[in-house]
Amino acid sequence: MAVSHLSDDEQMLIEAIQEIAREQVAPRAAEIDHTSQFPWDMKELLAQQDILAMLFPDEYGGIGSSELAVVMAIEELARYCATTSLILAVQQLGSLPIMLVGNEQQKSKYLPPLASGEWLAAFGLTEAGSGSDAAAMQTFAVRKSDKYILNGSKRFITNGGLAQVNSIFAITDPKVGTRGISAFIVEKDFPGFSVGRIEEKMGIKGSQTAELIFTDCEVPAENLLGREGDGFKFAMMTLDRTRPGVAAQAVGISQGALDLALSYAKQRIQFKKPIADNQGIQFMLADMATSVEAARLLVYNAAEMIDRGEPNFGKYSAIAKLYASDIAMEVTGDAVQILGGYGYMKEYPAERMMRDAKITQIYEGTNQIQRLIIARALLGEK
């Protein structure tokens, strides 16, 4: 699908990613899911093809792609393998606090190895007792001379234990709620940093999700992002900008499921004719296609609003994430239904797509939280 708002170079890159996804990512997807091992070969592929570099400005070793191009890249990868698409999406999530509010010294140190793919990034906000309620976090940081000492833990962290660079949020002033949260760049080899449990998950099984533990973890004071107390604001700024990536992942999964269902319906013979000849199946496919296209347009709209610098894009990011992820569950469920018994078997990717789709309704803000964001934006509009 050509998009006129891409530059010529971006259009060529997206076409290349489509081919890479089809020819190199797709054949690995089932094995990645089966082994539940992080696909280092896919990470290297994304690095070598400058796909990870899309996220970063030219001056730090990136290629400075638009947000529209980034979400399209995530979508194309997710069409075949949600885990591989997540490598790109989380590299953006973990790096964006540094890009948004980091000083020149921090950007120069951390962004080039992230742009090259030498280092992976992670984003540490969620804790065992604070998911949607970020203000309930218990990880705290105390300034001591030229260091901050962090104590606490983070839970359900994508790339946890693999990422060299972790954007971590911790309380520096417990008396003022979210205004007491600060943001830090924490390297995985800092003293006192360790990795706890590695989660076993329903979907995106090749992506490592881990607990991060801070035990008197020493973080240099220069690794504070921005000012003390601004961390929660930075986290929300980041999530507003990365939710379209989750939405794009959902669209990609949905498109992959639609492709599969359409191909199967043409080939599956029952009662001496393809099941695609049955109006009941045709209507299902038509509804699936309509929903996928609507979700895609919402995602592209949110991405273009970010590219244009529009101030109220957060509402549209939430709308895109909410709708696209709900549609991903619906469309993958319909794909399983169209494949019938085969849809329930691991011989076909429909059941994997359905399992992978579920997380898009949960991470980077549950869809219940997205509805709150949308409603508050509506009620606050003049």
Side-chain angles (χ1 to χ4, degrees):
M1 175 179 172
V3 177
S4 59
H5 298 102
L6 293 179
S7 68
D8 289 344
D9 285 347
E10 286 179 333
Q11 185 65 47
M12 289 173 61
L13 178 58
I14 295 302
E15 289 171 3
I17 291 170
Q18 289 171 337
E19 184 177 342
I20 290 165
R22 187 171 56 250
E23 295 182 1
Q24 298 184 63
V25 176
R28 284 279 286 123
E31 185 184 6
I32 291 168
D33 180 69
H34 176 67
T35 63
S36 300
Q37 297 297 310
F38 183 82
W40 290 104
D41 58 328
M42 293 293 99
K43 189 274 283 186
E44 288 303 318
L45 178 67
L46 300 189
Q48 290 165 6
Q49 299 295 329
D50 276 346
I51 298 172
L52 294 179
M54 294 175 71
L55 307 170
F56 300 91
D58 297 351
E59 59 265 35
Y60 301 109
I63 59 175
S65 297
S66 65
E67 182 62 21
L68 177 60
V70 169
V71 298
M72 291 180 73
I74 293 170
E75 176 191 343
E76 293 301 333
L77 296 168
R79 188 170 182 173
Y80 301 99
C81 179
T83 291
T84 299
S85 75
L86 195 56
I87 297 172
L88 179 58
V90 174
Q91 193 78 337
Q92 182 181 46
L93 175 66
S95 304
L96 203 52
I98 303 172
M99 283 192 274
L100 288 174
V101 300
N103 58 38
E104 186 55 40
Q105 179 185 4
Q106 292 165 339
K107 290 178 180 179
S108 297
K109 179 177 181 179
Y110 290 109
L111 296 186
L114 290 168
S116 71
E118 177 188 353
W119 288 354
L120 291 174
F123 183 85
L125 181 64
T126 300
E127 299 183 4
S130 65
S132 297
D133 180 12
M137 73 170 58
Q138 298 294 308
T139 299
F140 60 93
V142 176
R143 177 75 183 258
K144 290 192 175 178
S145 183
D146 60 348
K147 293 184 175 71
Y148 284 89
I149 306 301
L150 270 62
N151 281 281
S153 63
K154 297 294 175 179
R155 191 79 185 270
F156 307 144
I157 305 305
T158 307
N159 285 356
L162 304 180
Q164 179 71 26
V165 180
N166 301 270
S167 294
I168 301 296
F169 300 85
I171 295 169
T172 48
D173 185 349
K175 299 186 293 293
V176 289
T178 57
R179 296 194 308 280
I181 295 172
S182 301
F184 301 89
I185 305 168
V186 181
E187 297 182 32
K188 74 172 184 177
D189 53 1
F190 280 174
F193 179 100
S194 62
V195 180
R197 62 182 287 161
I198 308 296
E199 305 292 348
E200 294 186 36
K201 306 186 297 296
M202 179 171 79
I204 55 167
K205 295 179 78 169
S207 177
Q208 181 160 302
T209 305
E211 179 184 26
L212 305 181
I213 299 171
F214 310 98
T215 308
D216 292 332
C217 179
E218 300 178 9
V219 179
E222 62 262 28
N223 279 37
L224 173 72
L225 279 166
R227 299 178 303 180
E228 280 193 18
D230 283 344
F232 183 75
K233 178 174 68 177
F234 298 158
M236 296 305 105
M237 287 167 58
T238 298
L239 292 171
D240 278 348
R241 287 164 174 79
T242 56
R243 283 185 180 123
V246 173
Q249 182 185 49
V251 170
I253 295 169
S254 300
Q255 185 64 58
L258 174 57
D259 294 343
L260 175 65
L262 183 59
S263 173
Y264 182 87
K266 291 176 179 177
Q267 296 170 20
R268 175 64 166 169
I269 305 297
Q270 292 287 274
F271 306 105
K272 299 181 180 179
K273 63 180 181 180
I275 63 171
D277 286 357
N278 298 317
Q279 192 178 67
I281 298 294
Q282 292 174 1
F283 281 10
M284 286 180 74
L285 291 168
D287 286 345
M288 292 162 75
T290 301
S291 296
V292 172
E293 193 62 27
R296 177 178 288 115
L297 292 172
L298 284 172
V299 175
Y300 290 3
N301 175 62
E304 291 191 293
M305 290 182 75
I306 292 172
D307 287 332
R308 291 193 299 266
E310 295 193 21
N312 62 336
F313 69 86
K315 179 181 79 170
Y316 294 92
S317 291
I319 288 172
K321 196 268 192 190
L322 168 66
Y323 185 77
S325 58
D326 279 353
I327 287 305
M329 276 308 297
E330 184 180 308
V331 168
T332 56
D334 285 345
V336 170
Q337 190 68 24
I338 288 173
L339 269 68
Y342 289 108
Y344 203 70
M345 304 300 162
K346 289 187 180 290
E347 177 184 353
Y348 285 84
E351 60 84 32
R352 183 186 79 237
M353 293 169 172
M354 188 175 182
R355 287 186 286 107
D356 287 343
K358 184 60 196 176
I359 191 60
T360 65
Q361 294 180 306
I362 298 171
Y363 58 16
E364 294 203 30
T366 66
N367 280 7
Q368 287 69 34
I369 291 294
Q370 302 314 308
R371 288 178 169 90
L372 279 176
I373 293 169
I374 296 162
R376 287 172 180 172
L378 288 170
L379 293 169
E381 289 172 353
K382 295 179 181 177

